[in-house]
Amino acid sequence: MGWVAIVTVHIPIGVMVSENLPTGRAPSIRDVARLAGVSHQTVSRVLNAHPSIRESTKLRVQQVIDDLQYRPNSAARALVKGQSRTIGVLSAMSAEYGPASSIAAIQDAAREAGYFVNTANLSRGEPSSIQAAVDHLMDQSVEGIVVIAPQVRVIEAIEKLSIAVPYVTLQSTGVADRHALSVDQIAGARLATRHLIDLGHRSIYHLAGPQDWIEAEARMRGFLEEMGANDVPTTAPILGDWTASFGYHAGRELLRVRDFTAIFSSNDQMALGLMHAIRDAGLDIPHDVSIVGFDDIPEAAHFWPPLTTVRQDFAELGRRCIALLLANITGGENEASSSSLIPELVVRSSTAPPAW
Amino acid sequence: MGWVAIVTVHIPIGVMVSENLPTGRAPSIRDVARLAGVSHQTVSRVLNAHPSIRESTKLRVQQVIDDLQYRPNSAARALVKGQSRTIGVLSAMSAEYGPASSIAAIQDAAREAGYFVNTANLSRGEPSSIQAAVDHLMDQSVEGIVVIAPQVRVIEAIEKLSIAVPYVTLQSTGVADRHALSVDQIAGARLATRHLIDLGHRSIYHLAGPQDWIEAEARMRGFLEEMGANDVPTTAPILGDWTASFGYHAGRELLRVRDFTAIFSSNDQMALGLMHAIRDAGLDIPHDVSIVGFDDIPEAAHFWPPLTTVRQDFAELGRRCIALLLANITGGENEASSSSLIPELVVRSSTAPPAW
DNA sequence: CTCATCAATGTGACCGTTCACATTTCGATG
DNA sequence: CATCGAAATGTGAACGGTCACATTGATGAG
């Protein structure tokens, strides 16, 4: 991506105004009505595709609408209908590939359904920031919220709010639905771990995500479960922060006592850092150390060596998320939620049988 | 980043309602007024921090507001004030690091200023999609638009709309402000090119971005200018699509006739793909081929070898963008725009003097 | 004591749309 | 040709804030 550092502003030059319209304001439904020689209600009916409108009337009104470049005022509509047709997204680390892809898909799906999307970032981790972000969304009177900030404390903050709108999180939060989570997320981690075990590895480290990220914990659990199921002795996972830099530094530490043949990293970025550290130490991947990542970001296929990882369909996740949320807002059925997304192991060149 | 594939929905259980309030609706300013024993206007004054309010009255009203968990209805406010306090963002490739960082910064800055941000994606490139996205934003009656989709046709679509709101693009668009652009963006590309020339390279390829991306063109121009200024013969740049995969395939093609010692890639992802192809061919970086990227994504420091690249401060860019736009919306001064952001060359290990 | 002044508060209209209900138009039917 | 019912259209009142202006009460100067 290339981006420039200069911004340019464009200001509207002047708006052409039909002579019998008040200049200051945008045309309203009554302006249209007057020019079309009908009542404002008839215009409203045209706008909302009411069946009982004579074709000729409809055409005449539509003509005036086009002439005036009239646009319904969404604030007025929201006011009277009591719904904003806006959904909020609470997101952390939104510059990362995963969240960003999901958000993009969410926006597309929402727009498709005629909804606006209002995103609030949780860049800084303070509790007050979470509160502020949620408040911001509530101020907009969003009809639903998507949480892509799967940190325990964010969930807690939201639940504590006894929020007045339905919300969707991209992961399970409670004991009740823990099962649904385990089927899937844990399964992905088990897939990765199993792959290493099948190759013959018996000394496997796990570089996990931050402790308070729900999915980091799930992935860690998947790792531990699979290791246990195969009677492979485990060491305590290392808690990272998702960044490549952390992976690099963790790798350097681990290499001081080189007592492993493989590492399962909780995401691709940390895996990249790990590989950097391992190469720095003069070791070969996968000959000396095998590495598995998680997420399959687009770059992973071009890492050196190309990274074996677990693929997740973030876009599909985002779409389902919105389908589910909208179903709940409108009180419809949520067929989408039943089937769960299955992560898929993508084997590339960063894994091989252990040399010793 | 780790992400789970199961979504869970939470529906509000039931809202506690004070006994003398209509159950169906959220409390309005008049409900608050009634319970506090004042007029609705007084409540409005408390909300807007009007000076002529007795402290005791203010406290009493505030108490009722807190009790009722009253929130002003933003639609009603938008209706009467004629402004939505919403700005729109038009963005393409928002899953990439650069745009995503800028968007995050934009959202933060906007929220800070009390504005809502509504993002519309330009995932699919069709003209109708651009139109739809702009319409979507206009329907929300945004007060300004930020364009992070620096493609010529997007700009054209917006200008053709004779848009009724100020908008900001993350790059220059016309002849008039071309100078401002060249200072900066072109400068970054010249920095990178100059670095290669200084190392002694004389056969340098440029892997550019898509032709209709304004910044891709600017960067290409910077490359050509610097090459020309140093009397280095140039070959035609290759037009890519920003992805690592394209970089990989372009690299394979280029290596069939190995007539170069360095490549300047228009972004880091394509550089990654290039390096992959070069290593596949059994060549060493930087010994056989030097590579320079652009953007300095967080992963670039951990590529193999760590990538020499040009750093851009996307977050700062986003912040300035909003500062400028808000200044224009409110009619204030735009001090931010005057000084331009200077990209910075980050030298790592992917560049060295040519071996031949 | 009266009146001007100003702080503190109240009143009613309005923003642009939809809703509920009233009215008109029109074609078919007896 | 009167009548009826449905289709087509109109009327006025919300929605929840803010604005412009009116009113009240306290304070101080003349």
Side-chain angles (χ1 to χ4, degrees):
Chain A
M1 204 62 20
W3 302 96
V4 249
I6 279 293
V7 285
T8 339
V9 167
H10 306 257
I11 314 174
I13 308 174
V15 186
M16 209 189 57
V17 178
S18 180
E19 69 278 4
N20 34 6
L21 268 168
T23 40
R25 287 198 315 282
S28 82
I29 203 171
R30 287 170 212 268
D31 295 322
V32 175
R34 187 158 39 77
L35 267 67
V38 296
S39 76
H40 65 275
Q41 181 60 273
T42 300
V43 178
S44 174
R45 290 197 177 97
V46 171
L47 290 173
N48 295 287
H50 190 280
S52 296
I53 287 280
R54 212 195 312 271
E55 191 62 21
S56 62
T57 314
K58 183 169 143 190
L59 253 47
R60 189 154 35 95
V61 171
Q62 194 60 55
Q63 180 64 48
V64 178
I65 287 178
D66 293 344
D67 285 354
L68 255 48
Q69 292 189 284
Y70 162 80
R71 283 172 177 280
N73 180 320
S74 61
R77 185 173 285 174
L79 176 59
V80 66
K81 312 237 334 177
Q83 47 187 34
S84 58
R85 289 199 83 74
T86 298
I87 66 169
V89 174
L90 266 183
S91 149
M93 308 211 63
S94 49
E96 302 290 335
Y97 172 76
S101 319
S102 291
I103 291 177
I106 284 171
Q107 281 162 355
D108 285 348
R111 198 170 85 206
E112 192 100 13
Y115 276 78
F116 303 104
V117 176
N118 194 258
T119 313
N121 273 97
L122 260 26
S123 28
R124 303 164 299 281
E126 318 118 33
S128 68
S129 143
I130 297 174
Q131 187 62 49
V134 175
D135 282 347
H136 187 71
L137 294 181
M138 296 304 289
D139 284 345
Q140 176 85 301
S141 49
V142 294
E143 292 182 31
I145 293 183
V146 179
V147 183
I148 318 193
Q151 295 161 75
V152 174
R153 60 164 173 254
V154 174
I155 309 288
E156 281 171 352
I158 290 191
E159 284 181 344
K160 205 170 68 183
L161 268 180
S162 71
I163 236 169
V165 295
Y167 67 98
V168 175
T169 65
L170 284 199
Q171 71 292 310
S172 170
T173 62
V175 179
D177 39 26
R178 177 147 294 183
H179 176 66
L181 167 63
S182 64
V183 172
D184 222 77
Q185 187 60 185
I186 296 183
R190 292 188 72 151
L191 231 49
T193 310
R194 180 58 182 271
H195 172 63
L196 292 174
I197 293 173
D198 283 351
L199 285 171
H201 292 276
R202 288 299 175 271
S203 305
I204 310 173
Y205 269 98
H206 176 47
L207 181 48
Q211 202 169 5
D212 85 323
W213 285 61
I214 292 165
E215 66 211 301
E217 196 230 313
R219 232 160 267 181
M220 182 191 303
R221 181 196 300 227
F223 167 75
L224 295 174
E225 279 181 15
E226 189 66 26
M227 293 288 274
N230 291 274
D231 288 325
V232 183
T234 58
T235 50
I238 300 142
L239 299 175
D241 67 358
W242 301 126
T243 69
S245 288
F246 186 94
Y248 178 68
H249 291 111
R252 289 176 65 131
E253 279 306 308
L254 285 176
L255 289 168
R256 291 168 56 169
V257 185
R258 203 183 129 206
D259 56 350
F260 57 90
T261 59
I263 306 178
F264 165 38
S265 167
S266 216
N267 78 340
D268 290 349
Q269 278 88 353
M270 290 196 295
L272 177 66
L274 279 174
M275 297 201 295
H276 183 192
I278 291 165
R279 266 188 317 258
D280 268 5
L283 299 178
D284 179 71
I285 304 167
H287 182 77
D288 296 314
V289 181
S290 285
I291 300 282
V292 181
F294 210 113
D295 282 354
D296 194 26
I297 63 175
E299 287 80 19
H302 300 280
F303 286 175
W304 187 248
L307 185 66
T308 295
T309 186
V310 178
R311 174 177 298 165
Q312 294 208 80
D313 190 342
F314 296 107
E316 176 62 18
L317 185 52
R319 279 188 291 272
R320 290 192 182 204
C321 198
I322 283 300
L324 185 54
L325 187 60
L326 290 185
N328 258 277
I329 290 173
T330 59
E333 287 298 309
N334 51 351
E335 347 88 26
S337 68
S338 50
S339 66
S340 51
L341 288 171
I342 307 294
E344 171 194 359
L345 182 71
V346 180
V347 179
R348 296 205 182 94
S349 318
S350 67
T351 47
W356 45 273
Chain B
M1 201 65 20
W3 302 95
V4 248
I6 278 294
V7 284
T8 338
V9 168
H10 306 256
I11 314 175
I13 309 175
V15 185
M16 208 189 57
V17 178
S18 180
E19 69 278 5
N20 34 6
L21 268 168
T23 39
R25 287 198 317 282
S28 84
I29 203 171
R30 289 168 215 268
D31 295 323
V32 174
R34 189 158 38 77
L35 267 69
V38 295
S39 75
H40 66 275
Q41 181 60 273
T42 300
V43 178
S44 174
R45 290 197 177 96
V46 170
L47 290 173
N48 296 288
H50 191 281
S52 297
I53 287 281
R54 211 195 312 274
E55 190 62 21
S56 62
T57 313
K58 183 169 143 191
L59 253 47
R60 189 153 36 95
V61 171
Q62 194 60 55
Q63 180 64 49
V64 177
I65 288 177
D66 293 344
D67 284 354
L68 256 49
Q69 291 189 284
Y70 163 80
R71 284 173 177 280
N73 180 320
S74 61
R77 186 173 282 172
L79 175 58
V80 67
K81 310 232 344 174
Q83 47 186 35
S84 59
R85 289 199 83 74
T86 298
I87 65 170
V89 174
L90 266 181
S91 148
M93 308 210 63
S94 49
E96 302 290 336
Y97 172 76
S101 320
S102 290
I103 292 177
I106 285 172
Q107 282 161 355
D108 285 348
R111 198 170 86 206
E112 192 99 11
Y115 276 78
F116 302 104
V117 176
N118 194 254
T119 313
N121 272 95
L122 260 27
S123 28
R124 303 164 299 279
E126 318 120 31
S128 69
S129 144
I130 296 174
Q131 187 62 49
V134 175
D135 282 348
H136 187 71
L137 294 182
M138 296 303 289
D139 283 345
Q140 177 84 302
S141 49
V142 294
E143 293 182 31
I145 293 183
V146 179
V147 183
I148 318 193
Q151 295 161 77
V152 174
R153 61 164 172 254
V154 174
I155 309 288
E156 281 172 351
I158 290 190
E159 283 181 345
K160 205 170 68 184
L161 269 180
S162 70
I163 235 168
V165 295
Y167 67 97
V168 176
T169 66
L170 283 200
Q171 71 292 308
S172 171
T173 61
V175 179
D177 38 27
R178 176 146 295 184
H179 175 64
L181 168 63
S182 65
V183 172
D184 222 78
Q185 187 59 187
I186 296 183
R190 292 187 72 151
L191 231 48
T193 312
R194 180 59 182 271
H195 172 63
L196 292 173
I197 294 173
D198 282 352
L199 285 171
H201 293 276
R202 287 299 174 273
S203 305
I204 310 174
Y205 269 99
H206 177 47
L207 181 49
Q211 202 167 5
D212 84 324
W213 284 61
I214 291 165
E215 67 211 298
E217 195 230 315
R219 231 160 267 182
M220 183 192 303
R221 181 196 301 227
F223 167 75
L224 295 173
E225 279 181 15
E226 190 66 28
M227 293 289 273
N230 290 274
D231 288 325
V232 183
T234 58
T235 49
I238 301 142
L239 299 176
D241 66 359
W242 300 127
T243 69
S245 288
F246 186 93
Y248 179 69
H249 292 110
R252 290 175 64 129
E253 279 306 307
L254 285 176
L255 288 168
R256 291 168 55 169
V257 186
R258 204 182 127 207
D259 57 349
F260 57 90
T261 60
I263 307 178
F264 165 38
S265 167
S266 215
N267 78 341
D268 290 349
Q269 278 87 354
M270 290 196 296
L272 178 65
L274 279 174
M275 296 201 295
H276 183 193
I278 291 165
R279 265 188 318 258
D280 269 5
L283 299 178
D284 180 71
I285 305 167
H287 182 76
D288 296 314
V289 181
S290 285
I291 301 281
V292 181
F294 210 113
D295 283 353
D296 194 26
I297 64 176
E299 287 80 19
H302 300 280
F303 286 175
W304 186 247
L307 185 67
T308 295
T309 186
V310 179
R311 173 178 299 164
Q312 294 209 78
D313 190 341
F314 296 107
E316 176 62 18
L317 185 52
R319 279 188 291 272
R320 289 191 182 206
C321 198
I322 284 299
L324 185 54
L325 186 60
L326 290 186
N328 258 278
I329 290 173
T330 60
E333 288 298 309
N334 53 350
E335 347 86 27
S337 69
S338 51
S339 66
S340 51
L341 287 172
I342 307 293
E344 170 195 359
L345 182 71
V346 181
V347 179
R348 296 205 182 94
S349 319
S350 68
T351 47
W356 44 275

